[in-house]
Amino acid sequence: MSYVVLILGMAVITCLIRAAVFVLGERVVFPPLVRTALEFVPVTVLTAIIVPMAVAPHGGGAELTWRNPQLVGAVAACGVSALTRRPLLTIAFGLAVFFVWQGLLAR
Amino acid sequence: MSTSPTWLKELANGARDTIPMMVGAAPFGVIFGTLVTSGPLHPWHGQLMSLTVFAGSAQFIALGLLAGHASLIVVWATTFVVNLRHLLYSATLAPYVARLSPRWRWTLAALLTDEVFAVTYNHYRLAPPGAIGPHYFLGSGLAMYTNWQIWTLAGLLFGAAFPHLQSLGLDFAMVATFIAIVVPQLVALRYIAAAVAAGALAWLCHDWPYKLGLLVAVAGGVAVGVVLSRPHEQLAATGSE
């Protein structure tokens, strides 16, 4: 697979979506159902990516155990984010827990 | 200062008002660049992606998908789905660009990210459509674009300087980043239910080939969210009548 083709394809798709309404103008109208559906896209896409990465970081079966640093770090990040809603604090704390946990398990 | 033309001032104002967003995006650019160096892509592919795609979340997701050996079509389909939200942004801003030339409209559209939308809409909505020229929008977009290129490059250089980072499990940075974006959006039961459905489906279908399970998970999660939204809409509709 050529990564350049992949990247340029992504660029074309992204640009066409962004430009569609600007270029076509008032002819584009969104039914309420489509508007509602679009609201849920960011939350569902990101969650669908996070869950397999945290639950099965090695691609095999579920590692639902405290010995899985990805899962422990993800739970910690969720907690900080829910409490503070601050993105950078969430990332920093999640990463810290992940690396410390991984280090402790490796000993 | 008073001799500088209005359009230049507008351009500068757009850029100035975008500074907080630029600061917020900087760490994401660095993380993106660093992740590129730990994956199958060549560093210049990472810069090419930032230069041409210019959509943070789609770029992150593409990296995750490529690490999981996703097919070309799945990466493109996911890019499409993830960026669909831009339709809402452009629909909201469309009245303010309606009288511009096609070249202007294509240029501004290409620069329309989440952050640029937030800044420009906050400015243009204060005046009737057409009252404010396109330079404020352009200034905000160019500032964000330049910022994204610089921090991507910084991440690429950082990742190249510390090649052992990948063995540490750096892809967790992406998990933490996405959690930081998702959790604050879970403001109502219907969002939580949609996320739970998407997460559960993603887990059940995670060993499907080419990451096709991701698209199933998104479709299922969105469906749950829409079903739970119907009563709200009906209430809103009857309330406004």
Side-chain angles (χ1 to χ4, degrees), chain B residues 134-166:
Chain B
H135 292 96
Y136 183 92
F137 194 153
L138 183 68
S140 172
L142 287 179
M144 205 67 205
Y145 185 79
T146 311
N147 184 62
W148 187 239
Q149 305 314 322
I150 291 170
W151 294 112
T152 298
L153 183 63
L156 290 169
L157 296 173
F158 182 73
F162 302 96
H164 61 279
L165 278 175
Q166 51 184 291

Side-chain angles (χ1 to χ4, degrees), chain B residues 194-215:
Chain B
V196 169
L201 282 169
W203 165 245
L204 288 173
C205 311
H206 80 282
D207 49 2
W208 287 19
Y210 314 119
K211 297 266 174 185
L212 280 170
L214 175 68
L215 299 179

